[in-house]
Amino acid sequence: MSLPNETSPVHMSEFIITGFNHLPNRRFLGCLILTAYLFVLFGSSLNVSIIASNRRLHTPMYMFICNLAVVDIMFTTSASTTMIAVLLANAKTISYYSCISKMFVYHFGDISECFAILLMAVDRMVAISNPLRYHSILTNTRTLGLITASWLLGCIAMGFLTRIADGLPYCQPVLPYVFCSYACLIRAACVNPEEYFFASTILSLLVMGSFPCILLTYVKIVYTVLKLSNVASRKQMFATCVSHNIVVASYYTPK
């Protein structure tokens, strides 16, 4: 990997976030992001607290919801805190290791979010397609195993990308982005960035492969529901999937 002639690698102790410099009304934007972040913290923390404190909710469905809430907190915190600090506290600098850490947590949260939504889809598919065997197929132990496996896969994938980013020589401390991500760190390094996007592209394709899997679970759900002769039962079955449909649409539509 050749280095550009006009720059040379240096030891980087901190980066400067400049992605918001060209925007007007930055304080107003910061207040909007802070408000949204507080709503996420409140809603997700409330979900976790209610589920954790009520033993009757210690079932696979609510465990998957609790997992999604924890992932949401982690995912939004990694990016939102940096943007809020820049916009409201004018703290444009971030230490190198803090930036690397937030990059890890951000992408780890992204990967875990995909898996969490997929696991919820599988839960609904089993509940509707095999209601009598639901509790024997998805036990609490298996549910915890699936959640743990999804987190381990995310850690392994992001450990690989973080090692790549941390091992690169950096030429300039300015990041023309709004928070730390793999892409912005690669572009700040003294290397040809295109050569380092192959690994992240493959990972993105594998993670986005969860969306077709979710669609397949809904094909199974629709097929099962349409076989029911009772119209009221059909409506009830579809109603159980509405909240998950909102989550899927909210997450995958921007992507």
Side-chain angles (χ1 to χ4, degrees):
M1 307 269 178
S2 59
L3 303 179
N5 294 327
E6 68 273 18
T7 54
S8 58
V10 296
H11 174 72
M12 202 64 61
S13 60
E14 64 180 21
F15 290 107
I16 303 172
I17 304 291
T18 62
F20 289 114
N21 285 1
H22 66 289
L23 294 179
N25 302 318
R26 283 180 288 176
R27 285 198 171 275
F28 176 71
L29 177 60
C31 290
L32 287 180
I33 295 174
L34 176 61
T35 302
Y37 176 55
L38 291 177
F39 271 115
V40 171
L41 280 184
F42 175 75
S44 298
S45 300
L46 185 63
N47 272 336
V48 173
S49 299
I50 292 174
I51 294 170
S53 60
N54 192 337
R55 294 187 63 86
R56 290 179 299 176
L57 299 181
H58 293 179
T59 60
M61 182 181 74
Y62 288 102
M63 290 167 70
F64 286 133
I65 292 175
C66 186
N67 175 53
L68 181 65
V70 172
V71 171
D72 280 340
I73 293 173
M74 174 178 60
F75 190 26
T76 53
T77 298
S78 60
S80 297
T81 51
T82 301
M83 293 189 286
I84 292 167
V86 172
L87 292 169
L88 297 182
N90 203 31
K92 295 185 178 181
T93 60
I94 182 171
S95 70
Y96 172 81
Y97 288 109
S98 179
C99 192
I100 287 286
S101 300
K102 290 195 173 186
M103 179 209 75
F104 176 92
V105 176
Y106 173 76
H107 291 294
F108 172 62
D110 195 13
I111 295 170
S112 300
E113 189 97 0
C114 290
F115 287 141
I117 296 173
L118 174 60
L119 290 176
M120 292 173 69
V122 171
D123 173 73
R124 291 298 82 205
M125 181 189 69
V126 175
I128 293 174
S129 301
N130 296 280
L132 298 179
R133 297 181 57 210
Y134 174 77
H135 292 290
S136 61
I137 295 175
L138 278 179
T139 63
N140 285 359
T141 301
R142 287 175 182 171
T143 299
L144 287 174
L146 290 171
I147 293 173
T148 302
S150 69
W151 281 56
L152 285 176
L153 287 173
C155 279
I156 292 171
M158 275 317 300
F160 175 68
L161 291 186
T162 302
R163 184 176 180 182
I164 292 176
D166 189 36
L168 294 178
Y170 289 91
C171 294
Q172 48 93 17
V174 177
L175 301 179
Y177 295 86
V178 297
F179 60 87
C180 295
S181 66
Y182 179 79
C184 76
L185 286 173
I186 293 299
R187 290 194 173 100
C190 305
V191 295
N192 177 9
E194 300 302 324
E195 299 179 23
Y196 288 89
F197 283 135
F198 179 75
S200 62
T201 301
I202 294 298
L203 178 61
S204 297
L205 291 175
L206 291 175
V207 170
M208 287 302 292
S210 62
F211 184 65
C213 293
I214 292 172
L215 292 181
L216 288 175
T217 63
Y218 275 98
V219 169
K220 175 64 174 174
I221 289 172
V222 171
Y223 175 75
T224 302
V225 172
L226 290 179
K227 290 195 302 181
L228 297 175
S229 57
N230 191 317
V231 176
S233 297
R234 289 184 183 182
K235 291 182 179 180
Q236 184 180 8
M237 292 296 185
F238 279 125
T240 62
C241 299
V242 170
S243 59
H244 185 258
N245 289 336
I246 294 173
V247 172
V248 172
S250 299
Y251 181 75
Y252 284 100
T253 300
K255 286 187 176 293

